Amino acid sequence: MRPSKPQTSINLKLILVCFLCLLLFLLVFKSNFTPFQENHPSPILETHVSNSTSTPAAEEQPPSRDCPSLPLTPTCTKTPPSLAQALVHYATLNITPQQTFNEISVSLRVLQKKAPCNFLVFGLGHDSLMWTALNHGGRTIFLEEDKSWIEQIKQKLPSLESYHIVYDSKVHQADELMEVGMGEDCKVVVDPRFSKCKLSLKGFPNEVYDVEWDLIMVDAPTGYHDEAPGRMSAIYTAGLMARNREDGETDVFVHDVDRVVEDKFSKAFLCEGYFREQEGRIRHFTIPSHRTRSGRSFCP
């Protein structure tokens, strides 16, 4: 999501760059230093039958013992492209990501366990390259409402995978949509493309629906004024995709829960029973597949 107000916190920027440097160090360390294996020949027991007198012990030659060879020179491992690009990008950027360090750390802890994985992000912003780098080797897709903003970001960061999404809701419709969401059609777990619920978003590219997402971050669309699209449908659809996966579970994060819509809709459709933690303005839910057990209620 295009930021409404640029943030220029130097401290947060430095912390982020240092963190990415630490991640780079760990990747290089793990790839360069592998356990050393000695190549000693297996001992072979030989039995000699002879009628002659055995050789005195003093004349016996002690078995030779090979000295272990020195460790090989560490191989030269390239920095993963996504991480290298992120380091350069944030080291030269005058605008810091929209989430605070503590807020970022909530989803980072999950990424450290699951990456590389499938990560869906509602919103394209200054923190997008960071999410891609932290999910190195996985697939990270961004859904953005502002087409001109997508073009602007693509000029600077062409490697990011993003899609333009059109929302037909408005923040001032939130109360009406909440009432709609309480209906039976919105409690049916199904592919969002075939849902009868008005809150379900059906205009994504097919690959968004066909992938089982391990993490979903809802940080868009715009929701800070009455005529903005609001995140009512984004939150509902994120929860529906999580429930409709074949098996396993999806970690869903909602940012800006200090606002009324994000607060109420995350509790209603991601469910307080699936709530894990909140740090600042970000809230974390873990939603299991509802297809692995029939008869499971929409909220526990």
Tab-separated table of all heavy atoms in Angstrom, residues 239-275:
chain	number	residue	atom	x	y	z
A	239	GLY	N	-9.141	-14.948	5.624
A	239	GLY	CA	-9.598	-16.021	6.501
A	239	GLY	C	-10.223	-17.171	5.735
A	239	GLY	O	-10.036	-18.346	6.091
A	240	LEU	N	-10.954	-16.847	4.664
A	240	LEU	CA	-11.601	-17.888	3.862
A	240	LEU	C	-10.566	-18.741	3.134
A	240	LEU	O	-10.678	-19.970	3.080
A	240	LEU	CB	-12.563	-17.239	2.859
A	240	LEU	CG	-13.463	-18.197	2.062
A	240	LEU	CD1	-14.327	-19.032	3.009
A	240	LEU	CD2	-14.345	-17.410	1.092
A	241	MET	N	-9.527	-18.110	2.582
A	241	MET	CA	-8.476	-18.865	1.904
A	241	MET	C	-7.731	-19.767	2.881
A	241	MET	O	-7.353	-20.890	2.538
A	241	MET	CB	-7.510	-17.909	1.199
A	241	MET	CG	-8.093	-17.245	-0.029
A	241	MET	SD	-6.863	-16.414	-1.073
A	241	MET	CE	-6.442	-15.024	-0.036
A	242	ALA	N	-7.514	-19.270	4.103
A	242	ALA	CA	-6.841	-20.088	5.112
A	242	ALA	C	-7.672	-21.324	5.453
A	242	ALA	O	-7.146	-22.445	5.536
A	242	ALA	CB	-6.587	-19.254	6.364
A	243	ARG	N	-8.968	-21.148	5.649
A	243	ARG	CA	-9.837	-22.274	6.006
A	243	ARG	C	-9.989	-23.264	4.857
A	243	ARG	O	-10.179	-24.465	5.075
A	243	ARG	CB	-11.225	-21.761	6.411
A	243	ARG	CG	-11.265	-20.986	7.713
A	243	ARG	CD	-12.668	-20.443	7.974
A	243	ARG	NE	-12.768	-19.772	9.268
A	243	ARG	CZ	-12.468	-18.484	9.462
A	243	ARG	NH1	-12.060	-17.733	8.446
A	243	ARG	NH2	-12.588	-17.954	10.670
A	244	ASN	N	-9.891	-22.783	3.621
A	244	ASN	CA	-10.169	-23.628	2.455
A	244	ASN	C	-8.949	-24.399	1.967
A	244	ASN	O	-9.050	-25.163	1.015
A	244	ASN	CB	-10.717	-22.763	1.308
A	244	ASN	CG	-11.283	-23.601	0.166
A	244	ASN	OD1	-12.155	-24.440	0.395
A	244	ASN	ND2	-10.772	-23.402	-1.034
A	245	ARG	N	-7.783	-24.246	2.597
A	245	ARG	CA	-6.613	-24.996	2.157
A	245	ARG	C	-6.832	-26.488	2.408
A	245	ARG	O	-7.630	-26.886	3.264
A	245	ARG	CB	-5.348	-24.492	2.839
A	245	ARG	CG	-5.308	-24.628	4.332
A	245	ARG	CD	-3.994	-24.083	4.891
A	245	ARG	NE	-2.854	-24.856	4.419
A	245	ARG	CZ	-1.621	-24.385	4.306
A	245	ARG	NH1	-1.365	-23.125	4.625
A	245	ARG	NH2	-0.641	-25.153	3.893
A	246	GLU	N	-6.090	-27.317	1.680
A	246	GLU	CA	-6.275	-28.767	1.749
A	246	GLU	C	-6.015	-29.303	3.153
A	246	GLU	O	-6.773	-30.111	3.683
A	246	GLU	CB	-5.339	-29.453	0.755
A	246	GLU	CG	-5.597	-30.939	0.574
A	246	GLU	CD	-6.904	-31.238	-0.145
A	246	GLU	OE1	-7.314	-30.429	-1.002
A	246	GLU	OE2	-7.507	-32.280	0.165
A	247	ASP	N	-4.916	-28.874	3.748
A	247	ASP	CA	-4.597	-29.265	5.118
A	247	ASP	C	-3.612	-28.250	5.700
A	247	ASP	O	-3.252	-27.278	5.049
A	247	ASP	CB	-4.012	-30.686	5.180
A	247	ASP	CG	-2.825	-30.855	4.242
A	247	ASP	OD1	-2.121	-29.852	3.975
A	247	ASP	OD2	-2.589	-31.977	3.760
A	248	GLY	N	-3.175	-28.481	6.922
A	248	GLY	CA	-2.233	-27.555	7.548
A	248	GLY	C	-2.909	-26.310	8.085
A	248	GLY	O	-4.113	-26.301	8.355
A	249	GLU	N	-2.138	-25.244	8.205
A	249	GLU	CA	-2.657	-24.003	8.776
A	249	GLU	C	-1.995	-22.795	8.116
A	249	GLU	O	-0.935	-22.916	7.504
A	249	GLU	CB	-2.402	-23.967	10.288
A	249	GLU	CG	-0.927	-24.014	10.676
A	249	GLU	CD	-0.696	-24.116	12.168
A	249	GLU	OE1	-1.616	-24.588	12.882
A	249	GLU	OE2	0.396	-23.733	12.623
A	250	THR	N	-2.625	-21.646	8.256
A	250	THR	CA	-2.127	-20.397	7.690
A	250	THR	C	-2.027	-19.350	8.793
A	250	THR	O	-2.959	-19.179	9.581
A	250	THR	CB	-3.068	-19.870	6.587
A	250	THR	OG1	-3.176	-20.857	5.550
A	250	THR	CG2	-2.537	-18.572	5.985
A	251	ASP	N	-0.895	-18.663	8.844
A	251	ASP	CA	-0.727	-17.557	9.778
A	251	ASP	C	-1.157	-16.273	9.078
A	251	ASP	O	-0.634	-15.929	8.016
A	251	ASP	CB	0.731	-17.456	10.220
A	251	ASP	CG	1.127	-18.602	11.140
A	251	ASP	OD1	0.802	-18.528	12.328
A	251	ASP	OD2	1.731	-19.576	10.639
A	252	VAL	N	-2.118	-15.584	9.668
A	252	VAL	CA	-2.667	-14.360	9.080
A	252	VAL	C	-2.339	-13.183	9.996
A	252	VAL	O	-2.547	-13.254	11.219
A	252	VAL	CB	-4.196	-14.463	8.886
A	252	VAL	CG1	-4.733	-13.192	8.223
A	252	VAL	CG2	-4.541	-15.689	8.041
A	253	PHE	N	-1.835	-12.115	9.404
A	253	PHE	CA	-1.463	-10.909	10.143
A	253	PHE	C	-2.286	-9.730	9.621
A	253	PHE	O	-2.418	-9.554	8.408
A	253	PHE	CB	0.023	-10.604	9.971
A	253	PHE	CG	0.919	-11.755	10.327
A	253	PHE	CD1	1.254	-12.712	9.385
A	253	PHE	CD2	1.416	-11.892	11.620
A	253	PHE	CE1	2.071	-13.783	9.716
A	253	PHE	CE2	2.230	-12.959	11.958
A	253	PHE	CZ	2.559	-13.911	11.005
A	254	VAL	N	-2.820	-8.935	10.526
A	254	VAL	CA	-3.580	-7.742	10.147
A	254	VAL	C	-2.911	-6.537	10.786
A	254	VAL	O	-2.724	-6.500	12.010
A	254	VAL	CB	-5.058	-7.833	10.596
A	254	VAL	CG1	-5.810	-6.561	10.197
A	254	VAL	CG2	-5.731	-9.054	9.985
A	255	HIS	N	-2.556	-5.557	9.949
A	255	HIS	CA	-1.911	-4.347	10.454
A	255	HIS	C	-2.944	-3.235	10.626
A	255	HIS	O	-4.013	-3.264	10.014
A	255	HIS	CB	-0.820	-3.897	9.474
A	255	HIS	CG	0.119	-2.886	10.059
A	255	HIS	ND1	0.520	-1.757	9.382
A	255	HIS	CD2	0.730	-2.829	11.282
A	255	HIS	CE1	1.349	-1.063	10.145
A	255	HIS	NE2	1.488	-1.695	11.298
A	256	ASP	N	-2.638	-2.277	11.466
A	256	ASP	CA	-3.503	-1.122	11.764
A	256	ASP	C	-4.751	-1.518	12.542
A	256	ASP	O	-5.834	-0.967	12.307
A	256	ASP	CB	-3.888	-0.381	10.476
A	256	ASP	CG	-2.686	0.216	9.770
A	256	ASP	OD1	-1.817	0.795	10.445
A	256	ASP	OD2	-2.595	0.087	8.530
A	257	VAL	N	-4.602	-2.449	13.480
A	257	VAL	CA	-5.768	-2.872	14.261
A	257	VAL	C	-6.176	-1.840	15.307
A	257	VAL	O	-7.127	-2.060	16.061
A	257	VAL	CB	-5.517	-4.242	14.948
A	257	VAL	CG1	-5.394	-5.345	13.921
A	257	VAL	CG2	-4.284	-4.183	15.846
A	258	ASP	N	-5.480	-0.704	15.333
A	258	ASP	CA	-5.923	0.397	16.184
A	258	ASP	C	-7.123	1.109	15.567
A	258	ASP	O	-7.770	1.916	16.222
A	258	ASP	CB	-4.787	1.394	16.412
A	258	ASP	CG	-4.182	1.911	15.113
A	258	ASP	OD1	-4.057	1.125	14.141
A	258	ASP	OD2	-3.830	3.106	15.060
A	259	ARG	N	-7.430	0.803	14.290
A	259	ARG	CA	-8.596	1.381	13.620
A	259	ARG	C	-9.800	0.458	13.798
A	259	ARG	O	-9.651	-0.764	13.959
A	259	ARG	CB	-8.296	1.611	12.137
A	259	ARG	CG	-7.123	2.550	11.923
A	259	ARG	CD	-6.995	3.048	10.505
A	259	ARG	NE	-6.859	2.028	9.504
A	259	ARG	CZ	-6.031	2.116	8.448
A	259	ARG	NH1	-5.259	3.192	8.305
A	259	ARG	NH2	-5.974	1.155	7.554
A	260	VAL	N	-10.985	1.031	13.735
A	260	VAL	CA	-12.214	0.294	14.042
A	260	VAL	C	-12.431	-0.882	13.098
A	260	VAL	O	-12.720	-2.007	13.538
A	260	VAL	CB	-13.431	1.244	13.995
A	260	VAL	CG1	-14.728	0.452	14.162
A	260	VAL	CG2	-13.314	2.311	15.083
A	261	VAL	N	-12.306	-0.658	11.792
A	261	VAL	CA	-12.572	-1.727	10.816
A	261	VAL	C	-11.627	-2.900	11.012
A	261	VAL	O	-12.052	-4.058	11.098
A	261	VAL	CB	-12.466	-1.186	9.371
A	261	VAL	CG1	-12.407	-2.333	8.367
A	261	VAL	CG2	-13.647	-0.280	9.062
A	262	GLU	N	-10.338	-2.626	11.080
A	262	GLU	CA	-9.359	-3.705	11.229
A	262	GLU	C	-9.558	-4.465	12.539
A	262	GLU	O	-9.409	-5.699	12.590
A	262	GLU	CB	-7.938	-3.136	11.159
A	262	GLU	CG	-7.470	-2.752	9.770
A	262	GLU	CD	-8.002	-1.412	9.290
A	262	GLU	OE1	-8.805	-0.775	10.027
A	262	GLU	OE2	-7.628	-0.973	8.190
A	263	ASP	N	-9.916	-3.739	13.585
A	263	ASP	CA	-10.132	-4.364	14.886
A	263	ASP	C	-11.346	-5.290	14.860
A	263	ASP	O	-11.257	-6.478	15.187
A	263	ASP	CB	-10.316	-3.275	15.946
A	263	ASP	CG	-10.640	-3.841	17.322
A	263	ASP	OD1	-9.978	-4.814	17.731
A	263	ASP	OD2	-11.553	-3.308	17.983
A	264	LYS	N	-12.491	-4.773	14.429
A	264	LYS	CA	-13.738	-5.542	14.468
A	264	LYS	C	-13.740	-6.691	13.468
A	264	LYS	O	-14.161	-7.810	13.786
A	264	LYS	CB	-14.932	-4.615	14.214
A	264	LYS	CG	-15.237	-3.669	15.363
A	264	LYS	CD	-16.518	-2.877	15.085
A	264	LYS	CE	-16.898	-2.013	16.283
A	264	LYS	NZ	-18.148	-1.240	16.033
A	265	PHE	N	-13.285	-6.435	12.240
A	265	PHE	CA	-13.362	-7.469	11.208
A	265	PHE	C	-12.352	-8.587	11.450
A	265	PHE	O	-12.630	-9.751	11.126
A	265	PHE	CB	-13.193	-6.846	9.824
A	265	PHE	CG	-14.470	-6.300	9.252
A	265	PHE	CD1	-15.011	-5.114	9.742
A	265	PHE	CD2	-15.156	-6.962	8.246
A	265	PHE	CE1	-16.195	-4.605	9.242
A	265	PHE	CE2	-16.347	-6.473	7.734
A	265	PHE	CZ	-16.877	-5.292	8.232
A	266	SER	N	-11.191	-8.268	12.011
A	266	SER	CA	-10.239	-9.340	12.297
A	266	SER	C	-10.769	-10.248	13.402
A	266	SER	O	-10.629	-11.475	13.337
A	266	SER	CB	-8.872	-8.756	12.674
A	266	SER	OG	-8.932	-8.019	13.882
A	267	LYS	N	-11.384	-9.666	14.425
A	267	LYS	CA	-11.943	-10.476	15.506
A	267	LYS	C	-13.124	-11.314	15.020
A	267	LYS	O	-13.293	-12.469	15.438
A	267	LYS	CB	-12.389	-9.574	16.657
A	267	LYS	CG	-11.241	-8.944	17.444
A	267	LYS	CD	-11.766	-8.029	18.538
A	267	LYS	CE	-10.624	-7.415	19.345
A	267	LYS	NZ	-11.148	-6.466	20.371
A	268	ALA	N	-13.948	-10.759	14.127
A	268	ALA	CA	-15.155	-11.446	13.681
A	268	ALA	C	-14.861	-12.565	12.689
A	268	ALA	O	-15.461	-13.649	12.765
A	268	ALA	CB	-16.131	-10.442	13.061
A	269	PHE	N	-13.934	-12.333	11.735
A	269	PHE	CA	-13.756	-13.284	10.637
A	269	PHE	C	-12.451	-14.074	10.681
A	269	PHE	O	-12.311	-15.084	9.997
A	269	PHE	CB	-13.900	-12.553	9.303
A	269	PHE	CG	-15.245	-11.904	9.139
A	269	PHE	CD1	-15.374	-10.524	9.127
A	269	PHE	CD2	-16.399	-12.675	9.057
A	269	PHE	CE1	-16.620	-9.920	9.012
A	269	PHE	CE2	-17.651	-12.091	8.943
A	269	PHE	CZ	-17.761	-10.710	8.918
A	270	LEU	N	-11.494	-13.620	11.485
A	270	LEU	CA	-10.303	-14.434	11.725
A	270	LEU	C	-10.439	-15.142	13.070
A	270	LEU	O	-9.721	-16.115	13.318
A	270	LEU	CB	-9.036	-13.570	11.686
A	270	LEU	CG	-8.821	-12.796	10.374
A	270	LEU	CD1	-7.525	-12.006	10.429
A	270	LEU	CD2	-8.835	-13.735	9.171
A	271	CYS	N	-11.340	-14.646	13.883
A	271	CYS	CA	-11.809	-15.293	15.114
A	271	CYS	C	-10.857	-15.157	16.294
A	271	CYS	O	-9.664	-15.446	16.185
A	271	CYS	CB	-12.115	-16.767	14.873
A	271	CYS	SG	-13.302	-17.039	13.528
A	272	GLU	N	-11.424	-14.745	17.388
A	272	GLU	CA	-10.646	-14.590	18.621
A	272	GLU	C	-10.103	-15.933	19.108
A	272	GLU	O	-9.089	-15.988	19.786
A	272	GLU	CB	-11.503	-13.921	19.696
A	272	GLU	CG	-11.876	-12.476	19.344
A	272	GLU	CD	-12.587	-11.752	20.472
A	272	GLU	OE1	-11.944	-11.514	21.510
A	272	GLU	OE2	-13.778	-11.435	20.311
A	273	GLY	N	-10.774	-17.019	18.735
A	273	GLY	CA	-10.291	-18.348	19.107
A	273	GLY	C	-9.015	-18.744	18.387
A	273	GLY	O	-8.310	-19.656	18.826
A	274	TYR	N	-8.722	-18.078	17.269
A	274	TYR	CA	-7.500	-18.341	16.515
A	274	TYR	C	-6.433	-17.272	16.774
A	274	TYR	O	-5.366	-17.300	16.157
A	274	TYR	CB	-7.807	-18.397	15.015
A	274	TYR	CG	-8.673	-19.569	14.602
A	274	TYR	CD1	-9.678	-19.411	13.631
A	274	TYR	CD2	-8.502	-20.827	15.165
A	274	TYR	CE1	-10.471	-20.480	13.244
A	274	TYR	CE2	-9.301	-21.893	14.788
A	274	TYR	CZ	-10.279	-21.717	13.828
A	274	TYR	OH	-11.067	-22.792	13.449
A	275	PHE	N	-6.729	-16.342	17.659
A	275	PHE	CA	-5.787	-15.264	17.971
A	275	PHE	C	-4.546	-15.806	18.662
A	275	PHE	O	-4.614	-16.674	19.531
A	275	PHE	CB	-6.480	-14.239	18.880
A	275	PHE	CG	-5.557	-13.188	19.446
A	275	PHE	CD1	-5.099	-12.152	18.655
A	275	PHE	CD2	-5.141	-13.252	20.771
A	275	PHE	CE1	-4.246	-11.184	19.177
A	275	PHE	CE2	-4.293	-12.304	21.309
A	275	PHE	CZ	-3.835	-11.256	20.498
